[in-house]
Amino acid sequence: MRKLRILLGDDHTLVRQGLRKILEERVDWEVVADTSDGREAVRQALALQPDVAILDIGMPLMNGIEATRQIVRRSPTVRVLILSMHSNEAYIIQALKAGARGYLLKDSADVDLVRAVASVAAGKSFFSPAVSKVMLDDYVRHLSEKGIADRYESLSGREREIFQLIAEGHS
């Protein structure tokens, strides 16, 4: 059985060691490298081709967002999970535009880290609950600014009932 291969990029040694300990509790996961700066994270990602790269936003020499951009552009099979203390919209949007598949806040529980890595490795996305709320609020705000109304709400009660029955597979 092939192990899930993970690269860690964070400028804090204790954080990297803690992440490694949590991740390697899974016998089918392996941390193939850890690095303290963004340039080295890109170099290691390209050389080792991990399944998942977990990157902090605030790293020296190259920040995690630029490292994500370079990794995804040069090695699209490597999926990036951002691990950050920043929950503001600007960071989240920049990370997603750079190609990150997930965004996890550093104050998350260890089970969230495991779920996030598993989701991203499977080709899915994962966001901390606080990040999901920021993204949802932004989405709703953009809809409002564009004047887009919820068409479902414009249906009558009977139309909604029929719509639901069709969704359930009834004729």
Side-chain angles (χ1 to χ4, degrees), residues 57 63-66 68-69 82 84 86-105 126-127 130-142 145:
I57 283 184
N63 68 51
I65 292 172
E66 183 56 32
T68 297
R69 187 175 289 110
I82 293 292
S84 178
H86 303 287
S87 63
N88 77 27
E89 182 181 343
Y91 284 115
I92 297 165
I93 302 235
Q94 287 177 32
L96 294 176
K97 283 184 177 179
R101 300 297 284 273
Y103 197 104
L104 186 67
L105 295 177
F126 186 95
F127 303 99
V131 172
S132 295
K133 181 177 180 346
V134 169
M135 292 171 56
L136 179 61
D137 290 348
D138 181 59
Y139 176 72
V140 169
R141 184 172 41 81
H142 283 307
E145 288 171 0

Side-chain angles (χ1 to χ4, degrees), residues 19-166:
L19 292 171
R20 179 183 286 269
K21 184 170 175 46
I22 292 167
L23 295 168
E24 289 187 337
E25 285 180 359
R26 298 271 312 252
V27 296
D28 56 337
W29 290 6
E30 170 186 22
V31 175
V32 294
D34 67 68
T35 180
S36 61
D37 70 74
R39 276 198 194 128
E40 183 63 14
V42 171
R43 194 183 75 67
Q44 293 284 351
L46 298 177
L48 299 171
Q49 293 296 302
D51 300 300
V52 177
I54 302 172
L55 304 178
D56 182 23
I57 283 184
M59 291 188 288
L61 302 182
M62 181 186 296
N63 68 51
I65 292 172
E66 183 56 32
T68 297
R69 187 175 289 110
Q70 289 191 23
I71 290 168
V72 169
R73 181 173 41 89
R74 295 166 65 188
S75 187
T77 60
V78 178
R79 294 180 174 113
V80 178
L81 171 65
I82 293 292
L83 182 64
S84 178
M85 64 182 195
H86 303 287
S87 63
N88 77 27
E89 182 181 343
Y91 284 115
I92 297 165
I93 302 235
Q94 287 177 32
L96 294 176
K97 283 184 177 179
R101 300 297 284 273
Y103 197 104
L104 186 67
L105 295 177
K106 284 188 174 180
D107 64 359
S108 299
D110 57 348
V111 295
D112 286 335
L113 174 64
V114 172
R115 281 190 210 125
V117 170
S119 291
V120 168
K124 300 175 186 171
S125 298
F126 186 95
F127 303 99
S128 294
V131 172
S132 295
K133 181 177 180 346
V134 169
M135 292 171 56
L136 179 61
D137 290 348
D138 181 59
Y139 176 72
V140 169
R141 184 172 41 81
H142 283 307
L143 289 179
S144 296
E145 288 171 0
K146 292 179 180 180
I148 298 172
D150 183 355
R151 292 189 175 132
Y152 183 77
E153 291 301 319
S154 66
L155 298 176
S156 70
R158 180 64 180 149
E159 288 170 328
R160 285 188 218 161
E161 182 182 350
I162 292 169
F163 187 72
Q164 180 63 37
L165 291 168
I166 291 170

